Amino acid sequence: WYLQQRKARPLARAAIVGLSEWKAQRTWERPMFAMEAMAQLAAETLADAGVKSDTMRDHLYNDRTKLAVYGLATYGLALHKQHEAEKLAMIMRNIGQFVVEDNENQTAYLNMPQNIWWYWYGSEYEAEAYYLKLLAATEPKSTVAPRLVKYLINNRKHSTYWNSTRDTALVVEALADHLHSYGQAILA
């Protein structure tokens, strides 16, 4: 625990200072940039380490409408770990705007903006994996989660993998989280 705290504090300071400096220097509005994406991952890392950064949480919450869906999902996981129920509910509503349910195929997916696919935080499968992880943590009996699972399983390349090893690892981890939480919800 002590080592996690020592490693997380410099990360928190670097992310907060970097995000603040970047915000001060930008002169135009863009939907998402790497610094904010890094801040989202830093927020989740800090939450995993048990470090609560009110400054980072507030920066990300205030800019939530400019965050990519991927970032909203990772930020939602951090809020869940920090027991920020009110902010988490808003993030879930924000992500919910991107959910498309296909009743004919009994699937659900995230309607990702088309202009960010080439950035690492624009990956469709990674965003859906993080959203599934968030649903597994917050709403294990969600009706969207099984549909999202079906969509992810149906959209593998050559029936074995997604776009990359990173996508594949995150999706497999999300599927495991979903199975674990769904199983516990049924037993409860």
Side-chain angles (χ1 to χ4, degrees):
W1 179 82
Y2 177 73
L3 290 176
Q4 282 182 326
Q5 293 283 327
R6 286 194 57 190
K7 289 178 183 176
R9 289 188 195 288
L11 174 64
R13 279 193 296 276
I16 291 167
V17 168
L19 184 60
S20 298
E21 287 176 1
W22 179 76
K23 283 177 170 258
Q25 291 175 3
R26 74 178 181 186
T27 57
W28 66 90
E29 290 296 319
R30 290 182 68 162
M32 185 63 207
F33 249 88
M35 194 62 210
E36 286 178 340
M38 292 302 293
Q40 296 151 12
L41 291 176
E44 186 186 7
T45 303
L46 294 173
D48 284 342
V51 176
K52 195 169 184 177
S53 172
D54 295 336
T55 306
M56 179 167 303
R57 183 195 64 224
D58 293 342
H59 272 303
L60 291 172
Y61 188 76
N62 291 337
D63 284 347
R64 70 186 179 278
T65 59
K66 298 178 185 100
L67 300 178
V69 180
Y70 183 110
L72 287 170
T74 57
Y75 181 52
L77 284 168
L79 291 172
H80 174 69
K81 291 171 186 170
Q82 295 175 347
H83 308 290
E84 295 281 346
E86 188 177 312
K87 286 182 170 65
L88 176 59
M90 177 58 77
I91 295 300
M92 293 297 282
R93 283 194 299 274
N94 291 146
I95 297 172
Q97 296 172 2
F98 295 95
V99 175
V100 176
E101 292 192 52
D102 181 357
N103 290 327
E104 185 177 331
N105 294 318
Q106 298 177 343
T107 59
Y109 60 93
L110 295 173
N111 187 14
M112 304 285 288
Q114 297 300 316
N115 60 344
I116 63 167
W117 64 269
W118 58 86
Y119 294 115
W120 63 268
Y121 51 80
S123 167
E124 172 189 7
Y125 299 119
E126 287 184 35
E128 289 165 346
Y130 269 108
Y131 183 51
L132 183 58
K133 288 170 73 74
L134 181 60
L135 288 174
T138 60
E139 300 174 19
K141 292 184 179 179
S142 166
T143 58
V144 173
R147 290 171 169 247
L148 185 58
V149 167
K150 185 175 181 182
Y151 178 82
L152 287 168
I153 295 296
N154 288 345
N155 283 282
R156 292 173 292 168
K157 292 186 187 263
H158 307 291
S159 299
T160 56
Y161 63 94
W162 287 268
N163 284 339
S164 66
T165 53
R166 179 184 165 103
D167 284 348
T168 302
L170 284 171
V171 170
V172 169
E173 183 181 353
L175 292 172
D177 287 353
H178 169 70
L179 289 173
H180 179 74
S181 67
Y182 189 74
Q184 286 185 339
I186 289 177
L187 294 175

